[in-house]
Amino acid sequence: MVRSAKWRKIFLVLAIVVAVAGTGGVIAAVVSYNEATKIDRSNPKVVLDEYLRAALIEKDKVGVDLHTCDDPVGLAPIGSLREEFDRRERDFGVVVLVTWGAMTGETSGKDSAVTTTLTISGRKDGAVISKRSETWRFTLVESDGWRVCAARQMPEPAPSATASP
C-alpha cells in the first residue's frame, strides 16, 4: 500500500506539472498571436495605407472600420470613388485597379494631413484600356492610435503658360 500511495503522489505531481506547462504554452501562443495580428496605428502613413487597401482593393468594410474615425462622414468621397469603380466594372466589363504612390504629410499634435496620388487603371482582357492619376489629401486624427477621418481629391494644377519666342 505504501508503494501505491507513493506512485499516486508522483503521478499527481506530474499531472500538475503537465497542466501548468500546457496552460503556460496556451497563454504564450495567445499572446504571440495577439502581437502578430495587432493593428499598427502608430504612424499616419501606415494607417492610411491599410485604409486604402481595405477600402479600394479588398472592399473590406471591417478593415475600413478599423482604420477610420468614429464619424467617418468625411470619407464619403472615397466611398463614391469605390462605387464608381464597381459601376465601371459592371457596365463595361473591365477590372479597375488602383495603386498609390509615395505619401507626404505633416503632423501637428493629434492631427495629420497626408497626400498621395492614386493611379486608377481599367483593364480588359489583360490590357490597360484607360489610366488616370488623382491627387488626394487625407486627414487623420490621433485617437487611441491614428484614424483616417476625411478625404478630398485635390484640384489638378492648371497648365502653366509658357511664352514662345
Side-chain angles (χ1 to χ4, degrees):
M1 261 212 207
V2 173
R3 221 178 210 189
S4 154
K6 182 178 177 182
W7 281 109
R8 268 191 244 146
K9 284 182 183 179
I10 290 172
F11 285 129
L12 180 61
V13 169
L14 284 175
I16 291 170
V17 168
V18 168
V20 169
T23 302
V26 168
I27 290 171
V30 168
V31 169
S32 294
Y33 175 80
N34 185 46
E35 285 301 312
T37 59
K38 185 165 72 172
I39 296 171
D40 181 6
R41 290 194 182 100
S42 63
N43 182 308
K45 292 175 185 175
V46 171
V47 171
L48 178 57
D49 183 73
E50 290 299 319
Y51 166 76
L52 290 172
R53 182 173 282 93
L56 298 178
I57 295 175
E58 297 171 354
K59 304 178 197 178
D60 177 11
K61 175 145 178 38
V62 173
V64 167
D65 291 345
L66 289 172
H67 296 91
T68 57
C69 291
D70 290 335
D71 184 16
V73 69
L75 293 170
I78 291 295
S80 296
L81 187 63
R82 180 68 251 173
E83 289 170 5
E84 175 194 332
F85 296 168
D86 293 341
R87 187 172 50 258
R88 288 179 182 271
E89 288 177 338
R90 183 183 61 248
D91 293 349
F92 301 111
V94 297
V95 174
V96 176
L97 299 174
V98 62
T99 58
W100 45 95
M103 296 181 182
T104 59
E106 53 280 345
T107 299
S108 176
K110 291 186 174 266
D111 297 314
S112 184
V114 179
T115 302
T116 191
T117 300
L118 301 181
T119 301
I120 302 155
S121 61
R123 295 177 184 235
K124 188 165 190 168
D125 300 325
V128 175
I129 58 172
S130 68
K131 188 173 187 177
R132 74 179 196 253
S133 294
E134 301 175 353
T135 302
W136 285 75
R137 186 167 185 91
F138 297 86
T139 303
L140 294 90
V141 173
E142 207 292 328
S143 174
D144 190 28
W146 290 100
R147 315 275 179 166
V148 184
C149 297
R152 69 181 172 103
Q153 183 180 355
M154 304 299 287
E156 292 301 316
S160 60
T162 57
S164 56

